[in-house]
Amino acid sequence: MKLRTKLTLYITLSKLAIVTLFVLALPFLVDRIAFQYNDYYLREQKKKVLDVIEKNGLEYYLAGERDYGSYTMLKEEYISLEPAGLQAVKDTIATVQRVVESDTLTYRVLTHIFSGEGKPYILEVGKTAATIGQYNRPLQKMAIYVLAGLLFTTVLLDLIYTRILLRPLGDIIRNQLLGRRFPFKDGTPAVKTTTADFRYLDASISGLMEKVREAFDKEREFTANASHELMTPISILQHKIENLMMDEGIGDETQMRLAAMINTVHRLRKIVQSLLLISRIENDQFPRGEQFSLSDLLEEVMEELGHRLEDKQLRFNMRINGGVAMNMNRDLVFQLFHNLLNNAIRYNRPGGRIWIRDITEDDGRYAIVVEDSGIGIPEESIGAIFERFRKIGTGEGLGLGLSIVSTIAKYHEISLEVESVEGKGTAFTVWFPRNGMKKAAG
């Protein structure tokens, strides 16, 4: 999972968790706010009553009576004023029940003790508990709507900010890793960012790529020089052995030993030539812009290998579109299919078959499939068959044929796919890049 996706999930889930907790706590919070507001309202009502008493005296309410009581039409609020007596308590605000005209109702009551005309009086200001919570549900809905809007806005802003913040990381991955082709000859500009961590990461990857390129260049240079320098002593050794074999004074046993030696020299020459070919390909010493017919090239390959088909009594079948033309290096593509078909013959069964067919996808991609009915490749070995000196099976192979195929494929941006069942056969699919095809007749 990408870092941006993980951050998006974290931001969304964390905010959802906070919202869930808030929604669960919302009824309690709204009730608490409603009660606090109601208590404030009762205190304000108490102040108004005391102000009236201070200005107009107790008689304004008592009107000659011992006590005073008043309530609204729906009994939602009431005020009472009466002598306190000896059982008076300190000011309180509590939820209690009161009987009003034979109705027992629950009120939130503020109780206040004050002195008027030299006597203690108790003032009660009450409001029904039902009216306190009548606006709770609308308030909860409004709070949820506001919270949902804030959640959406903050998540959107966080995602935009995260995208902007991680954009340099995407540039680093795209330019340094995905957009580069080994051996990293092209340099990449430094990423534009104010984040020190991203600048350090970009510089570190660039330095690492440069070290890899230098090491690869040294390896290629060594391989090329060693292969080239080895050809001279090999040629001298081969020439000397051939001269000794022409000496009439040498016995048959010595001739046999010299013949074995010349075979070893020939084998060594092939190895050096293969390594030299790989080195030349990796050093871009071959042109890419030759135009040729793919069907003609495959027919030429099979003509060269035809005698080997007859030796093993193999049946050969080729069905490809004759209108396909390539724009690549003809000799290298020839070598690629020569090695694939050579392996298809070498590791086939006597009396087996070899098929060559093409694939044309709807999106324009084109491929050649080379399939045989041979011994197949063990599943655990398929991932390593393109390594140097790795043989498919027992035999006379050098273990460089498929390595050359892989090197040529990388040189031309060709994709290789391998499917094999041990004991039944192998199929190599060669996918050509669109820029390497001149045309493809449908």
Side-chain angles (χ1 to χ4, degrees):
M1 187 180 293
K2 292 184 177 180
L3 177 60
R4 183 182 299 169
T5 305
K6 288 186 176 181
L7 286 176
T8 301
L9 287 175
Y10 171 77
I11 290 172
T12 305
L13 293 177
S14 62
K15 290 186 181 297
L16 285 176
I18 294 173
V19 169
T20 302
L21 292 175
F22 181 81
V23 170
L24 293 176
L26 188 59
F28 172 77
L29 295 175
V30 171
D31 286 341
R32 187 174 183 84
I33 292 173
F35 271 90
Q36 288 179 349
Y37 174 77
N38 182 76
D39 294 347
Y40 170 78
Y41 173 80
L42 295 177
R43 292 188 185 96
E44 291 298 312
Q45 291 296 95
K46 179 198 74 172
K47 289 181 181 179
K48 291 181 180 180
V49 172
L50 295 178
D51 288 342
V52 171
I53 293 174
E54 183 178 356
K55 291 180 181 179
N56 302 315
L58 279 171
E59 285 301 316
Y60 180 84
Y61 286 105
L62 296 178
E65 299 291 333
R66 182 176 178 274
D67 54 22
Y68 169 81
S70 175
Y71 53 87
T72 60
M73 182 179 297
L74 298 178
K75 306 174 186 178
E76 293 178 349
E77 299 180 16
Y78 83 91
I79 297 175
S80 69
L81 185 63
E82 61 184 19
L86 299 176
Q87 71 278 9
V89 294
K90 295 182 179 180
D91 290 6
T92 60
I93 298 180
T95 302
V96 296
Q97 290 185 337
R98 290 289 185 267
V99 178
V100 180
E101 293 185 349
S102 302
D103 291 333
T104 302
L105 302 175
T106 302
Y107 286 89
R108 184 74 171 170
V109 178
L110 180 148
T111 303
H112 174 66
I113 305 298
F114 70 98
S115 178
E117 298 179 355
K119 298 179 181 180
Y121 282 85
I122 181 170
L123 171 66
E124 284 189 354
V125 181
K127 189 174 183 180
T128 57
T131 59
I132 296 175
Q134 64 182 340
Y135 298 111
N136 286 14
R137 188 173 296 276
L139 287 174
Q140 291 177 22
K141 288 184 178 180
M142 184 178 295
I144 291 176
Y145 292 151
V146 172
L147 185 64
L150 292 174
L151 174 65
F152 176 79
T153 303
T154 54
V155 168
L156 182 62
L157 293 175
D158 286 344
L159 293 179
I160 294 174
Y161 177 73
T162 301
R163 189 177 185 87
I164 296 174
L165 180 65
L166 295 181
R167 184 178 297 168
L169 180 60
D171 294 339
I172 293 172
I173 295 175
R174 183 170 52 256
N175 298 333
Q176 295 280 26
L177 303 177
L178 300 180
R180 304 191 69 184
R181 182 183 174 188
F182 191 78
F184 317 125
K185 291 183 178 180
D186 55 326
T188 57
V191 65
K192 296 180 180 180
T193 178
T194 57
T195 305
D197 293 336
F198 288 154
R199 290 202 302 268
Y200 177 76
L201 177 62
D202 183 54
S204 299
I205 293 178
S206 296
L208 180 61
M209 294 295 188
E210 181 64 22
K211 291 180 180 179
V212 172
R213 187 190 65 79
E214 291 177 357
F216 183 72
D217 287 343
K218 291 179 180 179
E219 179 188 355
R220 291 196 307 181
E221 182 180 359
F222 171 78
T223 302
N225 293 339
S227 301
H228 186 269
E229 294 299 326
L230 282 173
M231 291 301 295
T232 300
I234 290 174
S235 299
I236 295 173
L237 181 60
Q238 180 179 349
H239 181 69
K240 288 185 176 181
I241 295 175
E242 289 174 349
N243 288 339
L244 286 174
M245 292 180 69
M246 296 175 63
D247 190 345
E248 298 179 355
I250 296 178
D252 294 339
E253 183 178 353
T254 304
Q255 284 282 357
M256 292 179 61
R257 292 181 178 180
L258 291 175
M261 292 174 62
I262 201 69
N263 288 335
T264 302
V265 172
H266 284 158
R267 181 179 175 86
L268 182 59
R269 176 185 286 273
K270 289 182 180 180
I271 292 176
V272 173
Q273 289 175 340
S274 297
L275 291 174
L276 188 57
L277 174 62
I278 292 174
S279 178
R280 290 183 60 198
I281 296 172
E282 292 176 341
N283 282 286
D284 295 339
Q285 295 181 9
F286 289 91
R288 291 186 174 91
E290 299 178 89
Q291 297 181 4
F292 57 91
S293 169
L294 187 58
S295 59
D296 291 346
L297 180 140
L298 290 172
E299 289 178 1
E300 185 177 336
V301 172
M302 293 313 302
E303 286 179 6
E304 186 170 316
L305 297 173
H307 66 284
R308 298 194 59 199
L309 291 173
E310 296 176 0
D311 292 342
K312 297 191 71 171
Q313 299 179 345
L314 299 176
R315 290 172 292 172
F316 173 72
N317 180 266
M318 181 170 69
R319 293 183 181 180
I320 66 170
N321 186 351
V324 176
M326 295 288 115
N327 189 31
M328 300 179 178
N329 185 281
R330 190 182 190 280
D331 291 337
L332 293 182
V333 177
F334 181 94
Q335 188 68 46
L336 183 149
F337 283 106
H338 186 281
N339 289 3
L340 290 179
L341 288 164
N342 185 53
N343 282 343
I345 296 172
R346 174 179 295 165
Y347 300 107
N348 215 321
R349 304 177 185 278
R353 295 187 62 182
I354 295 177
W355 302 268
I356 297 180
R357 56 185 174 87
D358 59 359
I359 301 174
T360 302
E361 298 286 352
D362 294 336
D363 59 359
R365 293 199 308 157
Y366 183 78
I368 295 292
V369 181
V370 178
E371 188 174 358
D372 64 67
S373 60
I375 62 175
I377 305 171
E379 184 177 356
E380 63 273 11
S381 301
I382 290 180
I385 60 175
F386 294 111
E387 296 178 4
R388 297 180 187 180
F389 302 105
R390 179 63 68 96
K391 297 182 182 180
I392 295 179
T394 59
E396 299 178 355
L398 304 175
L400 288 171
L402 290 180
S403 178
I404 293 175
V405 169
S406 176
T407 304
I408 295 173
K410 292 177 182 178
Y411 186 73
H412 286 299
E413 297 182 359
I414 294 172
S415 299
L416 297 173
E417 296 179 0
V418 185
E419 295 181 4
S420 184
V421 178
E422 193 171 6
K424 292 186 177 181
T426 303
F428 285 86
T429 304
V430 183
W431 289 98
F432 292 96
R434 294 186 183 90
N435 58 6
M437 300 174 61
K438 182 181 178 183
K439 64 177 180 178

